[in-house]
Amino acid sequence: MTPRPVTTSTSFARLLASTTLLGALVLAGCGTQDALVGLHPAPPEQTASAPLDTEGATAVAARLLAAADAPVEGDAKAAAAARAEVLTGDALKVANAEAAHSAAKPGTTELASAPTPTVVAQSQGRQWPRAILATTLDEPTTTQWLHVMTSAKPDQPFRIAASVPMSPETELPALGAQLEGAPLLDTTAKNDLPLSPADAVKAYAAGLAYPKPRASTSVAVDDPFAQRLRTAAAVQAKTLGALATLTTTHTPVLENAITFRLADGGAVTFALMSRTDAMTVKPKGKELTLPAEYAKLVGKTKVTKSVTLTSLEPIVLVVPRTGKAEVIGARDVPAAGKAR
């Protein structure tokens, strides 16, 4: 059908009507504009979307690990701000402690090539929070590292929440098919396990105490990290001899703990402990001369009453369906100290 032509008179009438309406809106003032703008409902918050595919998760992990290793120009304040952009939770606590007490390392400011990450698992489901579990290999030391990246909300980027080296001769059990995802668990709940991951961390901490550890029938305390701590405490106590006593306690710090379900129904938890080494000078001791690393922490080279040193200990602990829970990765970082 041939389109009907629009005559000049019809066009003029429509233009006049439009002009009249426009004038009425202008004369009505701001009240009319307020009534006509913004009446549509606010868009709902996006609380569900598809998880990243393996390629996308790998890209996120690679970017964050490279940024974490990148040199920062400026002062300590700028470096702290840069860390907070990449790290969160326990990883940020540990990095801040390292920055506060480690000597500056001179060298090139060029960005070194970060190890290529391999994504082991992602959290299951389309909701938040979300987590990515990745591993890297430090070739010079042949040390395998486990990294957890988390995003708390849809509008928050992923950040590194934990980075822990695996102990020699240990392994991380499978977490299931990549596309299915690994469920995130409540660390304080039993989750059909012999004990909750939180209780397992507490039992492990109690088993590390010196000189009076508390043994557990559910948690092994014979991993390389535990053996090294026991040996160091025994050597330190022997060195102090009649000069001072040594007491070591480990306190779980679980507010940022992250737990994944394993494929076999067990769980793997990334958690943090705080270690306190307390040395009390005996009457015969009178005075202790501190090693350089201790003196830097407390700000003194000699003490007459006591020394308290605090270290942060990020750990990776596996709680199986049957058998004892065990730590497969850990390290310690000096954090603070005081002396009298």
Side-chain angles (χ1 to χ4, degrees):
M1 181 174 64
T2 303
R4 180 179 179 181
V6 177
T7 63
T8 303
S9 58
T10 302
S11 299
F12 178 79
R14 291 178 176 172
L15 176 61
L16 180 61
S18 298
T19 304
T20 303
L21 176 58
L22 177 61
L25 293 178
V26 173
L27 290 175
C30 296
T32 304
Q33 283 190 335
D34 291 343
L36 293 174
V37 177
L39 292 179
H40 57 280
E45 180 183 0
Q46 182 184 8
T47 59
S49 64
L52 296 170
D53 58 17
T54 302
E55 183 178 354
T58 302
V60 168
R63 174 180 59 80
L64 289 172
L65 292 172
D69 289 339
V72 177
E73 296 183 0
D75 56 12
K77 185 176 180 180
R83 288 193 297 273
E85 287 294 317
V86 180
L87 309 174
T88 189
D90 294 342
L92 183 57
K93 287 183 180 180
V94 171
N96 285 340
E98 284 184 309
H101 301 292
S102 62
K105 298 179 181 179
T108 178
T109 58
E110 295 181 0
L111 178 61
S113 176
T116 301
T118 299
V119 172
V120 177
Q122 289 193 69
S123 54
Q124 189 180 67
R126 306 170 72 90
Q127 306 296 321
W128 272 264
R130 292 186 176 181
I132 298 170
L133 176 54
T135 180
T136 57
L137 176 64
D138 180 49
E139 294 187 354
T141 63
T142 65
T143 300
Q144 200 82 24
W145 283 73
L146 295 173
H147 312 274
V148 179
M149 293 82 175
T150 61
S151 172
K153 298 179 180 179
D155 60 349
Q156 292 184 4
F158 277 94
R159 288 185 172 89
I160 300 172
S163 283
V164 186
M166 293 185 67
S167 300
E169 306 300 323
T170 61
E171 64 179 12
L172 174 66
L175 281 91
Q178 178 71 244
L179 295 179
E180 294 178 1
L184 288 178
L185 302 178
D186 179 354
T187 303
T188 63
K190 289 187 67 173
N191 305 297
D192 297 323
L193 298 170
L195 75 170
S196 72
D199 286 341
V201 175
K202 294 174 184 176
Y204 181 75
L208 295 176
Y210 183 90
K212 296 180 179 180
R214 294 196 298 274
S216 169
T217 58
S218 301
V219 180
V221 194
D222 57 357
D223 58 279
F225 181 69
Q227 293 175 5
R228 178 170 66 82
L229 290 180
R230 276 197 298 269
T231 300
V235 170
Q236 184 68 58
K238 184 177 181 180
T239 301
L240 292 172
L243 301 179
T245 60
L246 171 65
T247 301
T248 299
T249 57
H250 301 256
T251 304
V253 184
L254 298 173
E255 60 263 27
N256 295 313
I258 301 167
T259 301
F260 291 88
R261 174 75 77 185
L262 296 170
D264 62 4
V268 57
T269 295
F270 291 76
L272 184 67
M273 299 187 303
S274 176
R275 186 179 82 241
T276 301
D277 299 309
M279 289 166 277
T280 303
V281 180
K282 295 179 180 179
K284 292 183 179 181
K286 295 184 180 180
E287 182 180 86
L288 288 179
T289 300
L290 300 178
E293 62 270 25
Y294 293 173
K296 183 179 179 181
L297 279 175
V298 303
K300 293 182 179 181
T301 57
K302 296 182 178 182
V303 297
T304 58
K305 293 185 178 181
S306 65
V307 182
T308 302
L309 305 173
T310 303
S311 300
L312 297 178
E313 299 172 322
I315 66 171
V316 183
L317 185 145
V318 172
V319 182
R321 294 284 305 273
T322 59
K324 288 187 175 183
E326 62 177 349
V327 165
I328 64 169
R331 65 180 180 129
D332 57 339
V333 176
K338 60 181 180 180
R340 295 190 298 158

